[in-house]
Structure formats: C-alpha cells, structure tokens
Amino acid sequence: RKGNVIITGASSGLGLATAKALAETGKWHIIMACRNFLKAQMAAKSAGVAKENYTIMHLDLASLESIRQFVDSFRRSGMPLDVLVCNAAVYLPTAKEPTFTAEGFELSAGTNHLGHFLLTRLLLDDIKQSDYPSKRVIIVGSITGNTNTLAGNVPPKANLGDLRGLASGLNGVNSSTMIDGGEFDGAKAYKDSKVCNMLTMQELHRRYHEETGITFASLYPGCIATTGLFREHIPLFRLLFPPFQKYITKGYVSEEEAGKRLAQVVGDPSLEQSGVYWSWNKNSASFQNQLSEEASDEEKARKLWEISEKLVGLA
Ligand code: NDP
C-alpha cells in the first residue's frame, strides 16, 4: 500500500512543495492538515497534486480543542498513520504586541511548539500501530534558532533561559509572553519556538525510538526566502530578502528544492537514522548537522517536555 503522511501547514510554502514532491513519487497519500480548508484545496489544485493522492483535514494548531478534533477525525477516517510532518509555523517579526492562541499562549510558541507537541503526543499511538516498514516523525527546525551558525547569531538570539515564562503559562496576564520570561519580541519568539522544536525531536528520540522503532528527525531545509513565512515582514524586507539570500549568503533554496529535501526525510531509506538534524550542502547532498549548545541540552529538553505536558493538558 501507499504510505500515509500527515503534513501540517501544507497549504503553502514548504509544506505544499513537500506534498507535491511526495505525491509525484506515487508512493504516498498526503493528509494536508490545514487551518484554511479552501486555501488548501486551491493550493493543492494549482500545484497540480492529483486528487487521489491527498485528503484535506481541518487543523488549527492555535487551538488545543481543534488539535484534539483533528485527531478524532483522522481516526474516524480509518487510515493508518505512517509519517507525521510538523511543518506549520507562524513568524511575527514586526509585531509590537503579542497575540495569543485560543487557550491564551503567545501565538508563536503556542502554534509552532505547543500545538505540535500535543499533536505529536496524541498521534504517537496511531503511528505505533502502523505496520509500515519505516515510520517517522519529522519536526521542521531552523538555523535561526541555532546559535552555532552565522544566521543563528543575528540578534535577537534564541534563548529559552530557565523556561520560567513557559512554566508560568505565556499568557501575558500573570506571566511573561516569552519562554525565558523576558519582554515580548516577535522575532525571538519564533526562534525560541524553533529551538523547542529541535529539543522536542531529541526528547522524542530518547523516550520512544528504542521502544517503537519510530525515526524522529528534524531538518533545516535551507533559506526558502520566497514563502509566506515572511508575509508579516515590512515590504522592503520582502523585496530584498530573496536576492540577498540568493547572491550574498548563498543560502537560498527554491520551494521546489526544499520540498524535495523534506520529502527525502519523509521517505528516503538513506535518511532513516533517528535523533538527527539534517541539513544540505551546496551540492544538495544531505548531512547530519550539529545542533547549538542550547538545542542539544538534554536537561532543558526534559524540562521543556514536562512543562509542555502540563500546559497542553497531558499531565
Ligand atoms: P509558510 O508561511 O509558507 O507556511 C506556513 C504554513 O503554516 C502555512 O500553510 C500556514 O497556513 C500554516 N499555519 C500557520 N499557522 C497555523 C495554524 N494555527 N494551524 C495550522 N496551520 C498553520 O512558511 P514556510 O513554508 O516557509 O514554513 C514552513 C516551515 O519551514 C516552518 O516550520 C518554518 O519554520 C520552516 N522554515 C522555513 C524557512 C524559510 O526560509 N522559509 C527556513 C527554515 C525553516 P496558511 O496557509 O493558512 O497561512
């Protein structure tokens, strides 16, 4: 049979390009988990993904209730689950004030980290039950949270501190909206959420890989300077960022190329190793990248896991 893969945020950018790349192999059925059903439908159509290769299901990661409903509807569909790709994200670099998820968590941490944390924990049971030969959970990371790289050192730098803001709820009422307890900064909130994604991938690996055989991996697909991720940025930035990445940093990749990279992490037998953060060199060859000190801190990963469990109602 075909493999079944859920991709969150498959209505644009990297998620859509990955859905297209996987559909073209003829080996995958893609469950596009999207907050805007119509947008997802139009996106799949205009990308030329054949109807029989995908199903769209509603998922709003900024609502824990919606995540639980998504899991219920997925289970009712009767499809086995073989691979989960946590790809959706929001990036609010110019926001002056924080915005919040349905449960009142700062939106970047709430969507990118807490939403995917709950989704993954709930779907782990489903993946365990699948008889697919290579089962995987992939969480899209980023170099921007990686302070051992040049791009990761552009201020404001990611820093989760001692997680005191997260522990007190990130709601801005009786707590800070930032994980480290500091003042709200939209660009930093995104980078922090990506560090959480990479810590979560490794904690999943430590807790479940041996017992379940599931591969847990993260990746930095390259700088896909043209996606909707930068929609909140000022117009001048949006104009100059793609050529800057193309000609100056040379970190630019097209959406199509990035989609092929993520598709490799989904299905390529040579990328089956668990606990790995994949990157690609200039010749588009994959390699296992080093994580920053904070993103590989085991103690922090454990603490993040425990606090996140409480916030999403699992503990
Ligand atoms: P896009 O903005 O194009 O895609 C983000 C997707 O997430 C969209 O489909 C969006 O839905 C979805 N999304 C946002 N909020 C929610 C929500 N509450 N519930 C469900 N879905 C939601 O950006 P990219 O394709 O660039 O980003 C994809 C991933 O790649 C992210 O994890 C990002 O961090 C990562 N990444 C991107 C890089 C880049 O250079 N672009 C570099 C490194 C990593 P909608 O279409 O409805 O808005």
Side-chain angles (χ1 to χ4, degrees), residues 8-15 33-36 39 59-63 86-90 107 111-112 140-143 190 194 197 219-231 241:
T8 67
S11 51
S12 81
L14 178 60
C34 298
R35 62 177 166 177
N36 183 335
K39 181 178 174 186
L59 168 67
D60 182 355
L61 286 159
S63 155
C86 298
N87 160 76
V90 288
L107 195 66
T111 307
N112 308 356
V140 178
S142 181
I143 207 167
Y190 169 80
K194 290 280 123 184
N197 286 156
L219 72 152
Y220 172 63
C223 183
I224 332 158
T226 51
T227 71
L229 197 68
F230 306 102
R231 77 193 88 186
F241 191 53

Side-chain angles (χ1 to χ4, degrees), residues 32 121 141 191 201 270 310:
M32 300 171 66
R121 289 288 303 275
K191 295 179 187 182
M201 176 279 284
S270 67
K310 286 199 189 114

Side-chain angles (χ1 to χ4, degrees), residues 130-184:
S130 137
D131 60 358
Y132 203 70
S134 180
K135 307 188 274 192
R136 302 181 189 185
V137 172
I138 298 145
I139 308 182
V140 178
S142 181
I143 207 167
T144 53
N146 229 7
T147 49
N148 61 343
T149 65
L150 189 65
N153 276 303
V154 175
K157 284 198 243 177
N159 178 14
L160 309 184
D162 62 3
L163 305 173
R164 67 177 65 180
L166 186 71
S168 59
L170 287 183
N171 56 33
V173 181
N174 44 19
S175 82
S176 159
T177 52
M178 298 295 286
I179 293 176
D180 65 359
E183 285 286 298
F184 175 73

Side-chain angles (χ1 to χ4, degrees), residues 39-118:
K39 181 178 174 186
Q41 206 165 32
M42 308 253 290
K45 239 189 204 157
S46 61
V49 187
K51 254 199 166 129
E52 66 274 16
N53 290 334
Y54 70 92
T55 305
I56 300 169
M57 284 191 189
H58 184 264
L59 168 67
D60 182 355
L61 286 159
S63 155
L64 301 180
E65 187 52 41
S66 168
I67 295 167
R68 291 188 177 276
Q69 279 171 12
F70 169 83
V71 171
D72 283 349
S73 349
F74 177 74
R75 286 179 182 157
R76 273 198 303 274
S77 78
M79 281 186 262
L81 179 59
D82 310 313
V83 178
L84 169 65
V85 179
C86 298
N87 160 76
V90 288
Y91 174 47
L92 310 161
T94 56
K96 299 267 180 291
E97 298 291 332
T99 41
F100 298 93
T101 67
E103 287 78 16
F105 305 123
E106 185 284 317
L107 195 66
S108 328
T111 307
N112 308 356
H113 167 59
L114 290 171
H116 279 132
F117 181 82
L118 177 63

Side-chain angles (χ1 to χ4, degrees), residues 9 24 42 109 117 150 179 202 205 218 232 266 268 290 311:
E24 280 168 0
M42 308 253 290
F117 181 82
L150 189 65
I179 293 176
Q202 296 164 87
H205 168 72
S218 185
E232 301 292 336
V266 169
D268 198 303
Q290 287 293 100
L311 292 179

